[in-house]
Amino acid sequence: MAMSLLSFASMPRLAQHRSRTLLRRYLPGVVGLAVIASTSACMPDVDRNEGFPPPRVTAIAAGSPGGGLDLTTRITKDGLEDADVGTFMSIENMGGGGGNPARAAVLQRENDGTTVVVESNRVLLSNITGTTDMSIDDFTPIAQLTTDYEVWMVKAGSEYDSAEQVLEQLDEDPGSVDFGIGTVPSDDQLNVLRPANEYGVDDLSSLNLVAFSDGGDLNNELLGGRVDVASTGMSEAVELVESGDVEIIAVSAPEPIEAGPGAGVPTWHDLGLDITINHWRGVFGPADMPDDAVAWWRDALKRGVDSDEFVGQAEALGINPAYMPGDEWLEAVIMPEEEESRAVLGKVGLSQ
């Protein structure tokens, strides 16, 4: 059965306050409004026979300039330089299409280890929802870079002052609460479906989820009173919470958060729901990527994420440095998440 979660809006963006400094730093280097923006101009060509490390590699950010995936890629580049890795990492932006064009681009290029994609769990969600035939089996998970918890937030003074109150309302009438989410498929979406499912809401297909083009549009809709609850990443909520415009009523962390805007906010576990959602971003190469390339990328990315530059910029963006090598990441995070997501999305007819 169809859900009312695929309506999109194009409202003016609310600035991503946390990343203003970084945006001012990076966006002047983005040329025009091209779908693909590269920082590799005039760099020397790679000698394909050199092995690793080559003089230059490419990271495709599966998002537009200024978005979360773009910024994660750019602070990774800065981290590699701060760690004195020595190999230049150029960046290409491929936004839109739920990340499908960016992932397809990696698979279409020579599988020599010099090109990777920085992506979120859309690498598995897009296949589950049937927007692409590409699956996790087509890629080599190289390393997780960052995580960001999901939250429910409401406008200050909202009639809903707790997540439990919202869940009780959903139990009575699943379509009576207007949820705003950043995009589909996404953790924003699952951060509504999973709590509702575990709370016992029977008709998940009746939930009213409205997807917007990005977090800025979502924030505008919440502040304008056109959605009741926004499901979004913690980093998207930081500045609005500090300004007093919104309140966080639930966080998807595994245990209570002790500092920052999520301090003291109930987790799903506090409400008796066995739910933890880490909105991760990481690096993928094509399947059967050369072993020496995988080893180099993992070592280089570990050094980059551990660098002072990466840690400082991540803190400014409100995200958590969370390096995890690809084999561990696949087993501990990706595959369990794929199973959970397929089950939940299947209940609303979105799993193929």
Side-chain angles (χ1 to χ4, degrees):
M1 290 181 288
M3 293 176 62
S4 56
L5 57 76
L6 294 178
S7 56
F8 290 83
S10 299
M11 302 294 292
R13 290 189 177 183
L14 179 69
Q16 302 290 317
H17 302 286
R18 267 300 207 212
S19 58
R20 278 179 175 170
T21 300
L22 294 177
L23 289 175
R24 284 197 297 268
R25 176 177 180 180
Y26 290 131
L27 289 182
V30 179
V31 180
L33 298 177
V35 173
I36 301 175
S38 174
T39 59
S40 60
C42 301
M43 294 303 297
D45 288 337
V46 174
D47 183 343
R48 302 293 183 179
N49 298 317
E50 284 187 356
F52 271 76
R56 176 169 60 91
V57 293
T58 299
I60 298 175
S64 301
L69 286 163
D70 172 66
L71 291 172
T72 298
T73 308
R74 292 180 186 278
I75 68 172
T76 298
K77 178 179 183 293
D78 289 348
L80 295 178
E81 293 175 356
D82 189 45
D84 197 25
V85 168
T87 294
F88 180 84
M89 187 180 87
S90 64
I91 299 173
E92 296 180 13
N93 289 90
M94 291 189 186
N100 293 340
R103 295 192 303 278
V106 170
L107 300 185
Q108 291 165 358
R109 298 186 187 182
E110 185 176 354
N111 188 1
D112 58 4
T114 61
T115 302
V116 298
V117 62
V118 181
E119 179 59 297
S120 67
N121 61 353
R122 296 180 307 181
V123 71
L124 57 95
L125 293 179
S126 294
N127 178 260
I128 291 173
T129 56
T131 66
T132 178
D133 291 333
M134 291 180 291
S135 73
I136 189 64
D137 294 335
D138 293 307
F139 298 92
T140 297
I142 297 175
Q144 175 180 276
L145 301 177
T146 63
T147 62
D148 186 13
Y149 295 124
E150 289 283 314
V151 300
W152 277 9
M153 63 181 185
V154 297
K155 185 179 178 181
S158 167
E159 62 177 298
Y160 300 111
D161 56 15
S162 72
E164 189 167 15
Q165 182 184 2
V166 175
L167 290 169
E168 289 173 353
Q169 181 64 34
L170 293 178
D171 196 33
E172 292 181 10
D173 182 358
S176 61
V177 180
D178 294 329
F179 286 93
I181 59 178
T183 186
V184 291
S186 69
D187 277 332
D188 294 356
Q189 176 188 23
L190 291 170
N191 192 45
V192 177
L193 296 178
R194 289 183 61 188
N197 180 58
E198 290 213 16
Y199 191 77
V201 176
D202 292 328
D203 189 6
L204 296 183
S205 63
S206 293
L207 294 175
N208 186 24
L209 279 70
V210 184
F212 297 91
S213 59
D214 58 35
D217 286 348
L218 170 58
N219 290 340
N220 278 329
E221 294 299 291
L222 179 66
L223 294 177
R226 290 175 287 275
V227 296
D228 300 314
V229 181
S231 176
T232 188
M234 176 77 79
S235 59
E236 303 278 354
V238 170
E239 190 67 20
L240 291 176
V241 173
E242 292 177 349
S243 71
D245 292 326
V246 305
E247 298 176 1
I248 297 176
I249 59 174
V251 61
S252 69
E255 55 189 31
I257 294 176
E258 298 181 355
V265 175
T267 68
W268 295 126
H269 296 274
D270 290 334
L271 298 177
L273 307 178
D274 186 19
I275 298 171
T276 297
I277 300 177
N278 273 321
H279 183 55
W280 48 259
R281 296 182 176 98
V283 178
F284 295 86
D288 301 319
M289 188 173 176
D291 290 342
D292 59 343
V294 174
W296 179 85
W297 274 105
R298 288 180 179 169
D299 176 70
L301 291 170
K302 176 67 165 64
R303 291 165 60 187
V305 171
D306 286 344
S307 71
D308 291 341
E309 184 68 22
F310 187 98
V311 171
Q313 293 194 41
E315 181 179 354
L317 291 168
I319 57 179
N320 308 307
Y323 176 88
M324 186 182 297
D327 46 0
E328 179 183 347
W329 183 29
L330 179 65
E331 181 178 353
V333 177
I334 296 175
M335 297 312 296
E337 182 173 333
E338 181 180 40
E339 182 178 354
E340 293 173 356
S341 300
R342 191 176 296 278
V344 173
L345 291 170
K347 290 190 175 185
V348 293
L350 293 180
S351 177
Q352 300 298 305

